[in-house]
């Protein structure tokens, strides 16, 4: 996984979302590298306790974004915060639309500072089958990393540590993004000042002395010495 992309904090998240009107349970999964993918499907359980009709279990929604596209939706660290805290809502789902095959859903992600809409398109049955198989493969590979346990036993406090670690990473990413913006602003200001200074130097007139001084001949010192010698000789040869 690339750590140069801000999307890496969106990797391997999951959350259950309960639709407030139908009582259906949705399952959300994320994966990220240089791009981010969000998958959404229905759980077999629902608030009524009745089994979900089989035709609904095959439904799947998905979408993939680049780093710039995800930033247009909202700050990445706030999307992570909304998923982890479970402040998610499904928009566009209704009992009258259960049998639609091209139903676009939107996930409303709320954070402390923003409300963001994440659009997902409905997959075909073939695409849904591939997405489901890919997810099961990923879960199996993860289990192999934990002594083939699908749900490895976690020591007390480890889950809390992992959650806090994600929060720290998200906060660090947010701080770095703000720092980069500040540096860019300062560089822009410095460049503007340099341009103004260049214009000032270009337009400034060269300074001229207000008083002129006579030039001293190059042989001035030599002429003075010779004059003194002639005076001395004249005194020596004068008659008493």
């Amino acid at each position: 996984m690339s750590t140069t992309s801000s999307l890496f904090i969106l990797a391997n998240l999951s959350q259950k979302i309960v639709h407030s009107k139908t009582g259906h349970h949705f399952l959300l999964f994320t994966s990220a590298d240089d791009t981010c993918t969000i998958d959404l499907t229905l759980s077999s359980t629902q608030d009524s306790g009745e089994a979900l009709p089989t035709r609904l279990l095959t439904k799947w929604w998905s979408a993939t974004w680049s780093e710039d596209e995800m930033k247009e939706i909202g700050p990445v660290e706030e999307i992570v915060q909304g998923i982890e805290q479970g402040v998610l809502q499904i928009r566009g789902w209704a009992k009258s639309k259960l049998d639609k095959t091209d139903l676009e859903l939107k996930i409303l992600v709320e954070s402390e500072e923003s409300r963001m809409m994440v659009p997902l398109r409905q997959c075909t049955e073939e695409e849904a089958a591939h997405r489901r198989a890919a997810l099961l493969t990923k879960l199996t590979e993860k289990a192999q990393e934990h002594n083939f346990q699908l749900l490895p036993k976690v020591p007390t406090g480890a889950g809390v540590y992992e959650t806090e670690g994600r929060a720290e990473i998200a906060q660090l990413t947010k701080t770095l993004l703000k720092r980069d913006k500040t540096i860019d602003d300062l560089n822009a200001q410095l460049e503007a000042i340099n341009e103004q200074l260049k214009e000032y130097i270009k337009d400034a007139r060269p300074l001229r002395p207000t008083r002129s001084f006579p030039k001293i001949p190059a042989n001035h010192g030599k002429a003075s010495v010779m004059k003194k010698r002639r005076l001395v000789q004249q005194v020596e040869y004068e008659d008493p």
Side-chain angles (χ1 to χ4, degrees):
M1 179 184 298
S2 172
T3 56
T4 59
S5 168
S6 63
L7 298 180
F8 76 97
I9 58 175
L10 268 168
N12 303 325
L13 299 177
S14 61
Q15 187 58 270
K16 181 173 73 173
I17 310 170
V18 179
H19 192 264
S20 57
K21 294 183 178 180
T22 63
H24 293 153
H25 294 191
F26 288 83
L27 304 176
L28 178 144
F29 306 93
T30 71
S31 58
D33 197 337
D34 293 328
T35 60
C36 173
T37 299
I38 295 180
D39 290 296
L40 186 74
T41 188
L42 283 156
S43 169
S44 59
T45 59
Q46 51 184 329
D47 284 351
S48 64
E50 300 177 359
L52 196 69
T54 305
R55 74 181 192 281
L56 298 182
L57 292 176
T58 61
K59 290 185 176 294
W60 198 283
W61 293 264
S62 182
T64 299
W65 299 270
S66 66
E67 185 173 4
D68 291 337
E69 290 170 339
M70 182 57 74
K71 288 179 179 179
E72 289 181 2
I73 294 175
V76 175
E77 65 276 3
E78 292 185 22
I79 295 175
V80 172
Q81 181 185 23
I83 293 175
E84 290 182 340
Q85 295 180 357
V87 282
L88 308 171
Q89 297 179 31
I90 302 293
R91 296 294 177 89
W93 183 250
K95 289 184 177 180
S96 60
K97 300 179 180 180
L98 300 184
D99 293 321
K100 292 193 67 172
T101 58
D102 58 348
L103 179 63
E104 180 184 275
L105 295 183
K106 293 183 179 179
I107 302 176
L108 172 61
V109 184
E110 295 185 282
S111 68
E112 295 178 356
E113 301 178 4
S114 306
R115 287 168 58 90
M116 298 155 285
M117 284 290 189
V118 181
L120 301 174
R121 69 171 186 85
Q122 186 171 354
C123 299
T124 64
E125 290 187 5
E126 183 178 359
E127 289 175 327
H130 282 290
R131 301 299 302 171
R132 190 177 295 106
L135 178 60
L136 291 174
T137 301
K138 183 178 180 180
L139 291 175
T140 303
E141 291 174 349
K142 287 294 181 182
Q144 291 175 350
E145 297 176 5
H146 298 282
N147 297 324
F148 301 95
Q149 295 182 19
L150 185 60
L151 299 174
K153 296 179 180 179
V154 181
T156 303
V160 175
Y161 174 80
E162 182 178 355
T163 301
E164 291 178 349
R166 277 190 184 277
E168 291 177 1
I169 292 174
Q171 183 60 40
L172 177 60
T173 303
K174 184 175 182 179
T175 302
L176 290 176
L177 291 174
K178 286 184 177 179
R179 185 199 65 178
D180 291 343
K181 185 178 184 303
T182 301
I183 292 175
D184 291 340
D185 291 342
L186 290 176
N187 286 335
Q189 293 177 17
L190 182 59
E191 185 175 353
I193 292 173
N194 286 334
E195 291 299 326
Q196 292 177 3
L197 184 59
K198 289 179 182 178
E199 291 297 325
Y200 177 78
I201 294 174
K202 180 180 178 181
D203 296 337
R205 295 181 178 179
L207 296 176
R208 297 180 179 178
T210 57
R211 179 182 177 185
S212 60
F213 295 92
K215 294 184 178 180
I216 300 176
N219 60 349
H220 174 73
K222 184 177 179 180
S224 178
V225 172
M226 295 300 295
K227 184 176 181 181
K228 288 181 179 180
R229 285 182 179 179
R230 285 197 299 270
L231 290 173
V232 170
Q233 290 176 354
Q234 183 179 358
V235 171
E236 289 179 348
Y237 290 100
E238 284 182 352
D239 292 334

